[in-house]
Amino acid sequence: MKSNLTEKEENSMSAHKKHLILMGMMGTGKSTIGRHLAQYLPYPAIDLDHWIEEKQNQSIPSIFEEFGESYFRELESQAFKHFLEQSQQHILITGGGIVLRSENRKWIKENGVVFHLTADVDTLIQRLELDGNRPLLQGNKVEKIRRIWSERKSLYESIADYQIQTDARSPEVIIAEILSHWHQLPV
Ligand code: S3P
């Protein structure tokens, strides 16, 4: 039966049935924020990188080293789709490169409310300075962070519902901002 709701109202109603997706560059704090967020919302938080590592019984750097980036991207897309297809809502913590595939961007838009965690590139450089766990940052780290950010910035922005600044802000403040947006979505 056709409802009396306008198309806009029907779309906005469905927003709260979507997954809460945390997206952004390496070093924006997605995993920390996602873990804490799960204490305030009745949905499980899934860190896709950790999930892949457990499933493969292999670390991300080791997957990159043994099989290469495109193999990892395939695992990443499969893992992402696996959770998006479930009717149970999740907090999905994505790896920074999830936006590289257009099919992932399409799925994100269709199935998620997207929080783009951002930080100035100098903040990212500072936070990632001592990191040895990101295969894409091997070698000249500063140059690589700048390049990856400039390649991806517009991709992130094209699918973000909310931009969340993380520079010089505590997890508590960031979480409060995300929850305030989330709770304002139509039920
Ligand atoms: C990547 C980010 C990493 C991880 C992999 C590739 C990327 O996740 O998925 O090293 O391409 O930006 P984080 O964003 O959690 O560091």
Side-chain angles (χ1 to χ4, degrees):
M1 199 173 75
K2 186 110 185 75
S3 77
N4 292 326
L5 295 172
T6 64
E7 194 183 337
K8 188 160 172 245
E9 282 166 333
E10 277 180 344
N11 284 344
S12 61
M13 274 184 74
S14 64
H16 224 292
K17 304 262 187 305
K18 292 182 171 183
H19 301 275
L20 189 162
I21 298 185
L22 295 179
M23 172 191 82
M25 277 286 284
M26 297 172 259
T28 49
K30 301 179 297 283
S31 299
T32 307
I33 299 298
R35 242 190 349 263
H36 288 300
L37 256 185
Q39 296 167 4
Y40 299 93
L41 292 170
Y43 324 121
I46 305 291
D47 189 317
L48 287 172
D49 279 349
H50 291 170
W51 193 81
I52 291 168
E53 286 182 323
E54 275 180 23
K55 227 122 159 116
Q56 301 297 311
N57 198 19
Q58 195 171 9
S59 71
I60 303 282
S62 160
I63 295 172
F64 267 73
E65 196 183 325
E66 189 173 345
F67 302 107
E69 181 176 350
S70 56
Y71 181 81
F72 170 75
R73 295 297 171 209
E74 193 52 42
L75 294 178
E76 183 178 48
S77 293
Q78 281 171 14
F80 190 47
K81 196 169 177 208
H82 167 80
F83 285 102
L84 287 182
E85 280 175 350
Q86 295 181 17
S87 53
Q88 143 103 66
Q89 282 172 275
H90 291 87
I91 298 165
L92 291 177
I93 304 161
T94 59
I98 197 80
V99 288
L100 292 174
R101 287 193 167 188
S102 64
E103 63 176 2
N104 292 352
R105 297 199 297 277
K106 183 168 165 280
W107 293 336
I108 290 177
K109 272 313 294 171
E110 285 172 4
N111 300 292
V113 177
V114 189
F115 292 85
H116 176 207
L117 271 51
T118 69
D120 286 347
V121 74
D122 290 334
T123 305
L124 295 179
I125 290 167
Q126 209 181 352
R127 288 184 190 161
L128 293 166
E129 204 173 11
L130 300 177
D131 179 87
N133 218 24
R134 264 81 168 201
L136 294 183
L137 302 183
Q138 302 293 320
N140 187 337
K141 198 176 266 179
V142 171
E143 189 259 311
K144 288 191 174 160
I145 293 169
R146 288 191 191 285
R147 185 168 46 75
I148 292 172
W149 173 231
S150 72
E151 284 167 3
R152 293 186 188 164
K153 187 171 186 288
S154 62
L155 295 179
Y156 291 131
E157 289 173 355
S158 71
I159 55 172
D161 291 302
Y162 302 102
Q163 308 280 351
I164 309 290
Q165 266 299 334
T166 67
D167 293 278
R169 297 176 86 201
S170 69
E172 290 73 23
V173 171
I174 294 167
I175 286 159
E177 185 181 353
I178 294 174
L179 287 174
S180 130
H181 289 307
W182 183 259
H183 290 310
Q184 282 175 43
L185 292 170
V187 182

